[in-house]
Amino acid sequence: MLGHRRIMGRSSEPSNTRSTGTAPCRIAVDDRTIAGHAQDIRLRLYRPLIGLTVPALLYLHGGGFTSGSLEEAETAAAAIAESVPALVVSVGYSLAPAHCFPTAAHDAHQAALWTLAEARDLNIAKGGLGVAGHDAGGHVAASLTFLARDQGEVDIRAQALLGPMLDPSLTRAGDAQAMQCEVPATAYARCYRAYLPDAAQRVHPYAAPLDSRRLAGLPPTLIVTAQKDVLRIEAEQYAANLIGAGVPTEVTRFPAISHAALPGHRPVLLAVADFFRRRLSPADSRGVPV
């Protein structure tokens, strides 16, 4: 279902994006509603108006599984869309505690299937999807890559995880005071209890990516961490685990910023855009003009 449509002008900030040979683009923003795993979910599409087929990726907002919204994700989603350039589908996945594990991951999977089914109408280039997420959205993104690998219906070519939540046990979490973090590990523990109310769920490989022993076959990955984040240690350990499993993996740590600052930090978003430009099919002038 089509909701409202907006046109966003491109930022005047300089960026290091690859030239497409066109004037600076604008972004069309469309809202859609699709069937999710347990209820209808909202999607917000950010489409570069450059007259080319473009790669596509999903963006999954943060909020500790219990909060967050498409509105809060707009800065990151729009910046990535214009900087790659790519169609970015921001996913309003179902929230806990009303909708517990694995609903969010399956909502993301439904959004991926919908995006692929609409590829022709959305002018998406062939070559698979990307996925990016911050905080709990990073967890959902990681879970989606497991689902896609194991079920084979969706081809995920790259994932970017920004300060992801990956370990429900929180046994690798850093010391908030020593790391000068605003959010202590206890806050994340409450989020995990809401999303994973059954203790047995917390050892499921889709729920505890950091402890998974089946990482082979996952897509190339970018892990982005903040210096002042108790989750930094586990995120960088996940990167090491992926490398050990033969998954092409990059790690970038940003100094002097917090976990919450990651999705709004311009250098972070440029790093994410650069990663997807290298890993996804580029814009193609053979597409039908939008």
Side-chain angles (χ1 to χ4, degrees):
M1 181 177 72
L2 177 65
H4 69 279
R5 186 173 195 245
R6 294 179 284 132
I7 304 295
M8 297 177 66
R10 182 171 177 155
S11 168
S12 60
E13 268 187 84
S15 75
N16 61 356
T17 60
R18 174 182 48 78
S19 173
T20 61
T22 64
C25 68
R26 295 181 298 169
I27 304 294
V29 184
D30 300 329
D31 280 3
R32 309 289 176 97
T33 300
I34 67 168
H37 180 66
Q39 61 176 356
D40 286 352
I41 59 172
R42 293 170 59 213
L43 307 178
R44 183 161 293 169
L45 280 57
Y46 298 82
R47 297 191 298 123
L49 300 178
I50 58 176
L52 311 176
T53 60
V54 293
L57 62 100
L58 306 185
Y59 184 82
L60 299 153
H61 64 75
F65 304 108
T66 62
S67 64
S69 66
L70 298 181
E71 288 70 30
E72 292 175 26
E74 183 150 290
T75 295
I80 295 168
E82 76 170 36
S83 297
V84 175
L87 170 79
V88 174
V89 179
S90 185
V91 183
Y93 56 86
S94 301
L95 299 176
H99 300 283
C100 302
F101 174 83
T103 301
H106 283 289
D107 281 348
H109 191 247
Q110 288 295 107
L113 290 170
W114 179 87
T115 302
L116 291 174
E118 298 293 321
R120 182 177 180 85
D121 288 343
L122 296 174
N123 215 28
I124 295 172
K126 296 179 180 180
L129 302 177
V131 60
H134 168 244
D135 182 78
H139 184 287
V140 177
S143 297
L144 174 59
T145 64
F146 283 85
L147 271 168
R149 180 198 61 189
D150 296 345
Q151 296 189 11
E153 297 175 280
V154 176
D155 181 13
I156 303 293
R157 292 291 179 92
Q159 64 172 331
L161 309 180
L162 285 62
M165 298 174 65
L166 299 168
D167 177 22
S169 76
L170 291 169
T171 54
R172 290 85 156 182
D175 179 86
Q177 184 173 359
M179 299 174 73
Q180 299 180 319
C181 302
E182 299 172 353
V183 182
T186 52
Y188 297 107
R190 290 192 293 271
C191 296
Y192 277 122
R193 286 195 296 271
Y195 186 55
L196 302 162
D198 183 345
Q201 295 173 324
R202 299 171 198 168
V203 297
H204 192 287
Y206 295 177
L210 188 58
D211 289 324
S212 175
R213 297 183 181 181
R214 292 187 60 245
L215 300 178
L218 293 179
T221 300
L222 171 67
I223 303 285
V224 179
T225 63
Q227 182 72 27
K228 299 180 178 181
D229 184 2
V230 296
L231 301 182
R232 170 169 57 81
I233 297 169
E234 68 181 58
E236 292 174 358
Q237 180 60 56
Y238 189 56
N241 294 352
L242 289 170
I243 291 168
V247 177
T249 303
E250 304 171 31
V251 187
T252 303
R253 183 193 301 175
F254 286 84
I257 68 169
S258 67
H259 174 88
L262 283 169
H265 191 50
R266 184 69 174 172
V268 169
L269 298 176
L270 290 176
V272 170
D274 176 71
F275 171 75
F276 283 124
R277 274 198 305 278
R278 290 184 282 111
R279 291 294 181 178
L280 299 179
S281 298
D284 187 341
S285 60
R286 291 172 295 177
V288 178
V290 293

